Amino acid sequence: MNGLVDLAPLTRLMLMGAIVALGPIAWLWLRSRNASAAQRLSRLTLLTLFLTFDLVLFGAFTRLTDSGLGCPDWPGCYANATPAGAHEQISAAQATMPTGPVTHTKAWIEMVHRYLATGVGVLILTLAAGTWALRRRAALPVDPWWPTATLAWVCLQGAFGALTVTMKLFPAIVTLHLLGGMVLLALLCRQAVAYRQAETGARPAALSGGRFALLAATVAALWIQVALGGWVSTNYAVLACSQFPSCQGSWWPPMDFRQAFELWRPLGLTGAGEHVSFAALTAIHYVHRLAAYVVLGLLLALAWRLRDALPRQARLLGLLALWQLASGLSNVVLGWPLAAALAHTGGAAALVVVLTWALCESRPAGARAAGRSAALARGEGVPS
């Protein structure tokens, strides 16, 4: 582990991240010179959400091009801030294994991912610092603890990024790293919605108990499905089934669920050091596929039920459900092409954002009335 972690280039890596973040901050400042401080924070939140979405996609690109170990140490590349400084070491590794995990192209992909991640971290730090600085001087719709929690989470996400390298693409760690990126999207979306509601005066839509329960169930099912999808990708189980809707010419192919969901093990091996069987990879793939049917049904039902209360979110949910179906099928029948794999990851990330948006823009129909009754019972005044 000590040979894999060298903090010497950390300062230079942080400087690279600050340079990456400086561009969006300068662009936003120029476009928002006449805006209030709260409006600038609102726009910076949206911009950070957009760039975090891009970062999730680039992280998928890094994984799918097998570039996760392009620089086999952390945080630099052979203790250098850029692959240019590690030219000799990368060339030696590439000469030994021309198609191996370390090549000049893969090293640059991995380091660009780290630069972008550090840049997003700087933007989130700016959001947290700006929110706390304005807390006493302005009425902000976002509690400063939200951006603070986001900052803490991005630091945790950085730690998982380091473990991804030092633990040699350990499937559980890589899957948690993917889930961490999705949580960042949800946290930033929550803050963006709060700013929007304050600027427009919009109130959350009241949903009947059944519709709100369907929304909550869909959110929960999506997170489970994202975890299952990450498990498929990090175990390279996509091609275990190359047919649809059957798998290996059967509706219930041979599967080994015990091996498939042994979570704490190295890539390609069981905890006992044996190679993961093809039946286990089949089980990983097929469980994800079966869960996809459930999530697809929930998304389409939710889109239909929300068409009046939350029409924009409903339309997006319907479109994204079809997008995920098409991109998932393309991965199977076309042999996991890079474009389809990225499209599927992007669709999952977009669903996380849209469902978080819908959740923040809604409330159970009786929630406001219940709150008003409780306040009156305590003898408190309730504004009309």
Side-chain angles (χ1 to χ4, degrees):
M1 180 71 74
N2 291 335
L4 297 176
V5 178
D6 187 340
L7 298 180
L10 183 59
T11 302
R12 285 172 289 169
L13 186 68
M14 293 175 66
L15 179 60
M16 292 290 291
I19 292 171
V20 169
L22 186 61
I25 290 174
W27 176 81
L28 187 67
W29 183 83
L30 288 173
R31 290 181 59 89
S32 307
R33 281 174 293 182
N34 298 322
S36 67
Q39 288 175 322
R40 286 197 292 270
L41 281 176
S42 172
R43 294 169 188 175
L44 182 59
T45 301
L46 278 173
L47 181 59
T48 305
L49 174 61
F50 172 75
L51 294 176
T52 302
F53 182 89
D54 294 340
L55 177 62
V56 169
L57 282 185
F58 198 84
F61 177 76
T62 302
R63 183 178 69 256
L64 292 165
T65 55
D66 294 322
S67 302
L69 296 179
C71 289
D73 56 336
W74 188 90
C77 190
Y78 289 98
N80 290 275
T82 72
H87 182 84
E88 182 178 345
Q89 294 94 326
I90 296 171
S91 295
Q94 186 170 343
T96 303
M97 296 180 63
T99 59
V102 180
T103 67
H104 289 284
T105 299
K106 291 178 180 179
W108 275 108
I109 291 173
E110 169 64 5
M111 287 309 295
V112 167
H113 178 236
R114 295 183 196 180
Y115 300 149
L116 293 175
T118 309
V120 166
V122 172
L123 290 173
I124 292 173
L125 175 62
T126 304
L127 281 174
T131 306
W132 280 105
L134 287 174
R135 187 175 73 133
R136 294 182 179 179
R137 294 194 288 116
L140 291 177
V142 171
D143 188 303
W145 287 109
W146 276 106
T148 303
T150 308
L151 177 60
W153 190 265
V154 81
C155 292
L156 181 63
Q157 181 71 347
F160 274 111
L163 288 173
T164 296
V165 175
T166 59
M167 296 184 69
K168 303 298 183 184
L169 305 183
F170 212 77
I173 297 298
V174 179
T175 301
L176 287 172
H177 193 48
L178 169 65
L179 286 171
M182 299 295 186
V183 172
L184 268 183
L185 290 174
L187 287 169
L188 289 165
C189 181
R190 162 65 178 78
Q191 294 161 59
V193 171
Y195 277 119
R196 178 188 172 279
Q197 289 173 337
E199 291 171 2
T200 63
R203 293 181 177 178
L207 301 181
S208 65
R211 286 195 293 179
F212 193 84
L214 178 60
L215 173 57
T218 306
V219 170
L222 178 70
W223 280 102
I224 293 171
Q225 180 67 347
V226 169
L228 289 172
W231 194 241
V232 171
S233 181
T234 56
N235 282 281
Y236 298 90
V238 175
L239 299 181
C241 293
S242 58
Q243 297 172 315
F244 184 86
S246 63
C247 175
Q248 301 168 18
S250 171
W251 292 103
W252 195 259
M255 291 181 278
D256 185 338
F257 292 98
R258 183 187 61 80
Q259 272 193 12
F261 295 100
E262 182 184 4
L263 300 182
W264 199 251
R265 56 173 177 75
L267 177 62
L269 300 175
T270 67
E274 302 172 353
H275 288 287
V276 173
S277 68
F278 188 70
L281 298 179
T282 303
I284 293 171
H285 179 112
Y286 211 60
V287 168
H288 177 64
R289 183 184 294 189
L290 293 175
Y293 299 145
V294 176
V295 174
L296 179 64
L298 287 172
L299 286 170
L300 293 175
L302 183 64
W304 178 256
R305 295 290 302 277
L306 295 183
R307 66 191 187 282
D308 297 325
L310 297 171
R312 286 181 295 176
Q313 293 91 329
R315 285 193 295 271
L316 286 171
L317 287 174
L319 290 172
L320 285 171
L322 297 177
W323 175 277
Q324 286 301 85
L325 175 62
S327 59
L329 281 175
S330 298
N331 278 318
V332 172
V333 301
L334 298 179
W336 202 20
L338 179 60
L342 288 174
H344 203 55
T345 300
L351 280 171
V352 167
V353 172
V354 175
L355 280 173
T356 302
W357 180 22
L359 200 60
C360 295
E361 290 274 22
S362 62
R363 59 176 174 81
R368 184 178 175 83
R372 183 189 295 268
S373 299
L376 290 173
R378 294 192 301 267
E380 300 174 3
V382 180
S384 60

